[in-house]
Amino acid sequence: MHFFISFFDIIFVSENFRGGSMQVYFLKASWALTSVILLSCTRVPIEMGKIENFRIERVTTESICCSIDIPITNHSLFPFTVEKGELSAYFENERIGSAHIIETVRIASWGTKTYPIRLRLMLENPETSAHMAVNALMGRRSTYFIRGTVDARSIMFQRKITIERTIVK
């Protein structure tokens, strides 16, 4: 189902507004607003591509700060903001901790762009974390996996976006 506002609707509204028919003006304005909202809901609002870059920025005994670049397509009329989520991190199929978004990500409307996303991985499994550190220091190829949801907010909507991404480094 598609909704649209024609050029004639706009002319009709402006002519009736000049004539003093405020009721018609408000009816048309509410139809226009409803159409915009429904148009924004008709498609999947956000699609994520494959992770392009993975960089480790800082390592401590409790956490690892890293950044990734990921192309994101927003099919919505509204921009989205992602501030938080519930993410789990895995190394070679073993859970190593939870991941948190460090900086707010603002996703522009109607388009595809590559966004840098900074994450803080809170280490909860000391054995697997030590194994991961040794592999990284030795330069071995390792598989990391991030799974969970993030909250994307816009002016009108809030959505949970499921994330399941594999990083091979």
Side-chain angles (χ1 to χ4, degrees):
M1 178 182 285
H2 295 283
F3 297 94
F4 64 94
I5 305 168
S6 71
F7 178 70
F8 298 108
D9 287 339
I10 295 169
I11 292 171
F12 181 70
V13 168
S14 63
E15 290 299 320
N16 282 326
F17 185 64
R18 284 190 210 129
S21 178
M22 289 289 283
Q23 187 176 19
V24 171
Y25 173 73
F26 285 119
L27 180 64
K28 288 286 187 170
S30 64
W31 171 251
L33 181 60
T34 303
S35 297
V36 167
I37 291 170
L38 291 175
L39 270 172
S40 183
C41 292
T42 58
R43 294 170 50 158
V44 176
I46 295 176
E47 294 175 6
M48 295 188 312
K50 293 183 178 181
I51 293 172
E52 295 178 351
N53 293 314
F54 175 71
R55 296 172 300 283
I56 296 176
E57 298 173 349
R58 189 180 60 180
V59 178
T60 66
T61 55
E62 295 90 25
S63 68
I64 297 173
C65 291
C66 62
S67 62
I68 57 175
D69 293 336
I70 188 164
I72 299 174
T73 302
N74 183 358
H75 295 288
S76 175
L77 177 66
F78 302 105
F80 282 89
T81 302
V82 178
E83 294 178 347
K84 62 182 179 173
E86 299 173 12
L87 300 168
S88 296
Y90 298 83
F91 170 73
E92 305 291 343
N93 296 322
E94 293 270 337
R95 180 178 154 85
I96 54 173
S98 58
H100 307 278
I101 297 172
I102 297 174
E103 295 174 354
T104 300
V105 179
R106 288 178 175 67
I107 302 168
S109 60
W110 291 116
T112 301
K113 182 180 171 187
T114 300
Y115 294 90
I117 299 174
R118 296 186 64 223
L119 299 171
R120 175 174 290 123
L121 171 62
M122 302 304 292
L123 302 173
E124 299 167 0
N125 186 338
E127 279 183 34
T128 305
S129 300
H131 183 107
M132 180 181 68
V134 169
N135 275 5
L137 291 172
M138 304 282 291
R140 294 183 187 148
R141 190 174 175 99
S142 301
T143 303
Y144 306 92
F145 189 71
I146 297 174
R147 174 186 292 159
T149 60
V150 294
D151 297 327
R153 289 185 300 114
S154 73
I155 294 171
M156 304 292 291
F157 307 105
Q158 180 168 340
R159 305 208 184 214
K160 285 202 178 284
I161 300 170
T162 302
I163 296 177
E164 290 190 7
R165 293 288 181 253
T166 301
I167 306 164
V168 178
K169 179 112 173 131

